[in-house]
């Protein structure tokens, strides 16, 4: 190998890391018994530990390795289970000592950007008991922030569980895609990235994120109403509902509109609280943000 060439990571190792990343993603979106949970986590980190030398020898590793470390960073402070938080922290500390570093911009991730100014705001410690009935092993920054007002958080969590996660009616990945449609109108990266994670985890087609022609007709039909709800909700007319009922059932349309309305409201919460995107969901320079460009009255006419 010439001096100008960089060592490459074997394809087999890349494949293993990709599987490991997926296992980590599945892990943080599920719940398991304590012993099984810790054993599963230790099994995942053992793969990463054995592959860490590949990264050191190559000088840099595949992006999947960074992604795995970023998920561990998230679990270190947002996992509901203390044993996993401690295990993730110990693993990351050991890797730093052996030369495996994570970019400082991920390590320094705060729940809110306002936390970077201690004179402005401090985020209270989490009351983990509020999340005992959560459907995921980790909490999100918005859940963390809202849990500082426990009575409000309990109602918020119950509403989101019914609207976004309970079986019946719309498929789960459709619900998360509709939420992305609404949040993207506000250019709210925080909510879009969180809903994108759930969209993909619930079986969503990644092609929908880059190729509008692959999106089902029913979802595309929501575009005009989504635009109106975001910018001029008072212009919503009966005819808009009649048009949607040509491709939607009444029951499913009610759910879709409830999701749109909810996620046209939540960006105000995300922006107002200064929520930071979780470290494993942060955009990389070459990544595309699922973006429905903001309405520009000079370039785009409102639906009538």
């Amino acid at each position: 190998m010439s001096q100008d060439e960089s060592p490459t990571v074997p394809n087999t190792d890349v494949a293993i890391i990709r599987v490991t990343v997926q296992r980590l993603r599945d892990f943080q979106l599920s719940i398991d018994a304590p012993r099984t949970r810790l054993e599963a986590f230790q099994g995942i980190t053992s793969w990463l530990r054995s592959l860490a030398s590949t990264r050191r020898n190559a000088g840099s590793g595949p992006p999947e390795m960074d992604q795995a470390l970023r998920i561990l960073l998230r679990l270190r402070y947002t996992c509901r289970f203390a044993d996993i938080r401690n295990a993730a922290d110990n693993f990351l500390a050991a890797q730093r000592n052996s030369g495996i570093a994570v970019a400082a911009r991920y390590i320094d991730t705060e729940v809110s950007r306002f936390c970077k100014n201690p004179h402005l705001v401090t985020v209270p410690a989490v009351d983990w008991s509020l999340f005992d009935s959560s459907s995921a092993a980790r909490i999100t920054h918005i859940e963390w922030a809202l849990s500082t007002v426990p009575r409000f958080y309990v109602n918020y969590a119950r509403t989101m569980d019914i609207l976004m996660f309970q079986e019946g009616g719309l498929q789960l990945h459709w619900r998360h895609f509709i939420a992305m449609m609404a949040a993207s109108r506000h250019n709210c990266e925080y909510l879009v990235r969180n809903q994108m994670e759930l969209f993909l985890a619930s079986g969503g087609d990644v092609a929908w994120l880059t190729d509008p022609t692959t999106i089902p007709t029913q979802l595309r039909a929501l575009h005009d109403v989504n635009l109106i709800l975001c910018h001029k909700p008072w212009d919503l007319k009966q005819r808009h509902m009649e048009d949607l009922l040509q491709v939607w059932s009444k029951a499913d349309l009610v759910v879709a509109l409830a999701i749109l309305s909810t996620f046209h409201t939540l960006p105000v919460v995300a922006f107002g609280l200064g929520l930071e995107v979780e470290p494993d969901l942060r955009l990389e320079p070459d990544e595309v943000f699922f973006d429905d460009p903001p309405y520009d009255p000079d370039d785009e006419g409102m639906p009538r």
Side-chain angles (χ1 to χ4, degrees):
M1 179 182 297
S2 69
Q3 292 183 345
D4 294 334
E5 292 179 323
S6 299
T8 58
V9 179
N11 289 336
T12 53
D13 286 352
V14 172
I16 291 172
I17 295 172
R18 285 176 178 166
V19 171
T20 302
V21 169
Q22 188 56 52
R23 288 175 65 194
L24 274 172
R25 289 208 174 283
D26 293 342
F27 178 88
Q28 68 174 353
L29 290 170
S30 63
I31 301 175
D32 214 335
R35 181 176 178 181
T36 305
R37 179 176 68 236
L38 189 57
E39 288 177 352
F41 183 79
Q42 290 172 339
I44 292 171
T45 53
S46 67
W47 274 112
L48 292 176
R49 190 176 294 108
S50 66
L51 291 167
S53 59
T54 301
R55 176 171 174 168
R56 285 195 294 272
N57 295 335
S60 63
E64 289 82 2
M65 188 70 176
D66 285 327
Q67 187 68 12
L69 293 174
R70 286 159 59 183
I71 295 174
L72 289 172
L73 273 173
R74 183 180 186 180
L75 287 172
R76 182 186 66 170
Y77 71 97
T78 65
C79 186
R80 296 196 295 113
F81 309 114
D83 54 350
I84 301 301
R85 293 198 301 273
N86 293 334
D89 193 40
N90 292 337
F91 175 84
L92 289 167
Q95 296 312 304
R96 284 195 295 273
N97 293 336
S98 64
I100 300 299
V102 183
R105 67 194 182 103
Y106 300 128
I107 294 176
D108 294 340
T109 297
E110 298 276 5
V111 173
S112 167
R113 64 178 58 91
F114 301 143
C115 296
K116 295 175 182 178
N117 183 345
H119 300 291
L120 188 62
V121 67
T122 55
V123 177
V126 178
D127 179 0
W128 294 106
S129 65
L130 287 171
F131 305 99
D132 286 344
S133 61
S134 174
S135 60
R138 55 96 182 103
I139 65 173
T140 62
H141 287 176
I142 192 170
E143 290 172 325
W144 184 321
L146 294 181
S147 71
T148 60
V149 187
R151 290 180 63 184
F152 178 83
Y153 171 74
V154 169
N155 290 324
Y156 165 83
R158 185 181 300 121
T159 300
M160 295 305 291
D161 182 58
I162 293 172
L163 189 62
M164 303 301 294
F165 298 104
Q166 285 192 6
E167 296 292 341
L170 286 180
Q171 299 177 73
L172 296 185
H173 67 284
W174 276 47
R175 300 186 207 183
H176 296 303
F177 191 84
I178 293 169
M180 288 167 57
M181 290 176 63
S184 67
R185 292 303 308 179
H186 301 268
N187 207 30
C188 184
E189 182 187 349
Y190 176 79
L191 288 174
V192 170
R193 297 296 286 187
N194 272 270
Q195 289 303 309
M196 186 184 298
E197 177 188 37
L198 295 170
F199 167 74
L200 295 173
S202 56
D205 186 347
V206 69
W208 293 11
L209 305 178
T210 55
D211 182 1
T213 63
T214 63
I215 301 172
T217 302
Q218 286 170 278
L219 292 175
R220 281 187 281 142
L222 291 172
H223 176 269
D224 285 357
V225 167
N226 186 38
L227 191 67
I228 293 170
L229 285 175
C230 179
H231 303 290
K232 289 187 175 182
W234 52 87
D235 278 350
L236 194 62
K237 301 292 194 298
Q238 179 178 336
R239 65 175 179 275
H240 296 124
M241 298 299 101
E242 292 171 347
D243 289 343
L244 286 175
L245 287 172
Q246 299 299 312
V247 292
W248 284 85
S249 69
K250 288 183 180 179
D252 287 348
L253 181 58
V254 167
V255 176
L257 292 175
I259 294 171
L260 284 177
S261 300
T262 299
F263 281 85
H264 278 305
T265 303
L266 284 178
V268 177
V269 177
F271 289 134
L273 293 174
L275 297 179
E276 293 272 26
V277 178
E278 284 80 357
D280 61 315
L281 301 182
R282 296 274 289 276
L283 278 173
E284 291 300 309
D286 59 343
E287 285 187 287
V288 177
F289 171 43
F290 174 83
D291 186 19
D292 197 354
Y295 167 63
D296 183 346
D298 294 330
D299 297 332
E300 181 179 11
M302 286 293 291
R304 296 186 180 279

